[in-house]
Amino acid sequence: MVKDNKPLLEVRNLWKVFGVNEENIDLNDLAALEQLEANGAVVAVRNVSFRVKRGEVFVIMGLSGSGKSTLIRCLLRLIEPTSGQVIVDGEDVTAMDEKQLIQFRRNKVAMVFQHYGLLPHRNVLENVAFGLKLRGVSREEREERALKAIEQVGLKGWEKYYPGSLSGGMQQRVGIARALVQDPDILLMDEPFSSLDPLIRREMQDELLKLQESVKKTIIFVTHDLNEALRLGDRMAVMREGVFVQVGKPQDIIIKPADEYVRRFVQDERRMALVAAGNRKALP
Amino acid sequence: MFPDALQFHIASYIDNFVKWLQISYGATFDAFSNFLLTILLGIQNALLLIPWWVWVVVVTGLAWWQSRKIFTALVLGGLMMLVGVFELWVPAIETLAIVITSVIISLVIGIPVGVAMAEWDRLSVVITPLLDAMQTMPSFVYLIPALMLFGLGKVPAVIATVIYAVPPVIRLTDLGIRQVSATVQEAARAFGATRWQMLKEVRLPLAMPSILAGVNQTTMMALAMVVVASMIGARGLGERVLLSLNRIAIGNGFEAGFAIVALAIIIDRLTQGVARRWQPPQTN
Ligand SMILES: Nc1ncnc2c1ncn2[C@@H]1O[C@H](COP(=O)(O)OP(=O)(O)OP(=O)(O)O)[C@@H](O)[C@H]1O
Ligand SMILES: [Mg+2]
């Protein structure tokens, strides 16, 4: 098996419908689906498919409510998909039983959350080592590895502090260290910098890029900030109302937006790019 | 007057039922009763073994350790001392022994029930109205079933006290667990926490302040009930109050009442202090 030709993550026809009795949905029946929506069901993810290669940073971008968080949670089944498949490294995550799923979450993926999700009663060191503790790694080993991760994110010396006494940026560093220490195949990040000040956000983006140079993780990164998407993403998907409206390299999306929605999204960047190219006349 | 034809008594049926219970399960009740009494007397003798001045010093010391206020510490120590000054030392210790036994039993029952309620919604649907009923009924009512099964004495007093005092710790355990941040729990789940790990590492520790508030309330209610339970033969301070009432000995009644209040304040302060110390640290 030649691994490099296979995508590390493959998502096939993923759907998530909130607020209905899930067994009885025929997703191919468009009229029935519309009827459900009229009755209050929300189709948060609508037939999404994509592939991500090892080492790639894949950004999912879209406005609030477009289904980004739902999608990224479906990848490790924090939210149970209504239908479709998630395949990681050849294994069908959607077919796993509870035990396999827990092993998958412990070993293959790690997630960073917008609101950090740190344990307030544990100090930085214990928070970073949390995943290893769940795995049953010995105290000595997990502290050693946690210390390394803490150093990687620039928090050396803060091991004994509690999350409540750290700034937002520092808390998110802890969140990132907690994910890195797992040495996961895939790093999932759901708007990790969105609740930080613009300056700190920028700093964290730079550091993530630097970190990525050394760790070379496969990253799925969710954001609603185009700038962030452009800076971080190798490829990006633009999401609207549960659908991937365009997937591609950031530059391609700016230059050739697939529709009006994407065009509006990338307008400012587009203007700048064209100005830089000395092509003012092409402006709308 | 109410017509004779409509009058009907169930008292004799209940008497028969209790008699039947006593005949069929008498040995079980006796064994249980003896077991409880052994524990209770063990605790009581242990408490009586401690010299009075040690009590005063320990209460003062604990109060100081928790509040860091000399004044509070001296007041609590002084209250303990006054109990002895009024020649109520032994009855106070007897009361304390019943309270401690009842609280231990209440916690052994209450905390697991509270956890189970938080884990299984269906259980909480069944138990919540039961708790509501238990808390709206006047405390005297609990004397009856205890009396029916165990006669007069300290054991039925403990049983009645447990029934009366157990609801707060159940409720606050349940509530505390339900209030644990969803973000933190989601993060733990994402890192592969099993249900048991979630409970042990996240839910219980984060619910601890609420659980300890429940322990405090349960203890206070136990003390209140032990006084009432003197009517079915629990000795101690309650009995002194009861005797004074019967003899219209106002002065003695006041002293005994004062000793109860003193115990209440001491217990309340000390258990509250423990609860406060458990808050997740904000700074190092
Ligand atoms: N548990 C739920 N029950 C019902 N509807 C939900 C649930 N979770 C999300 N939704 C709905 O699904 C849609 C997508 O939500 P989602 O949180 O995935 O969006 P998002 O792109 O992450 O938005 P944001 O940028 O605000 O985080 C929204 O319309 C939301 O109201
Ligand atoms: Mg979101």
Side-chain angles (χ1 to χ4, degrees), chain A residues 73 78 102 105-106 111 113 117-122 133-134 160 162 164-165 178 182, chain B residues 183-184 186-194 197 201-202 205-206 280-284:
Chain A
R73 278 169 176 71
L78 287 177
I102 282 173
R105 287 173 181 161
R106 284 180 182 174
M111 187 153 172
F113 295 86
L118 303 176
L119 300 170
H121 61 295
R122 299 258 197 266
K133 186 175 186 188
L134 295 181
K160 294 277 175 269
Y162 286 86
S165 61
R178 176 175 68 176
Q182 299 286 93
Chain B
T183 325
V184 177
E186 183 179 48
R189 218 150 65 82
F191 280 88
T194 59
Q197 285 176 324
E201 302 287 336
V202 181
L206 290 183
Q282 290 300 306
T283 49
N284 202 28

Side-chain angles (χ1 to χ4, degrees), chain B residues 80-97:
Chain B
M80 194 71 209
M81 184 118 178
L82 266 182
V83 171
V85 170
F86 288 157
E87 221 188 315
L88 291 168
W89 192 264
V90 174
I93 296 291
E94 279 179 327
T95 295
L96 204 58

Side-chain angles (χ1 to χ4, degrees), chain A residues 16-19 40-45 61-73 79 114 190-191 194 222-224 239 241-242:
Chain A
K16 178 64 200 182
V17 185
F18 282 114
V42 177
V43 183
V45 176
M61 195 189 65
L63 295 177
S64 189
S66 54
K68 310 178 297 286
S69 294
T70 308
L71 173 59
I72 201 170
R73 278 169 176 71
I79 293 176
Q114 180 178 358
D190 184 10
E191 308 210 30
S194 294
V222 164
T223 178
H224 61 249
M239 200 170 180
E241 288 171 16

Side-chain angles (χ1 to χ4, degrees), chain A residues 34-45:
Chain A
E34 264 170 39
Q35 181 60 37
L36 280 176
E37 282 183 273
N39 291 338
V42 177
V43 183
V45 176

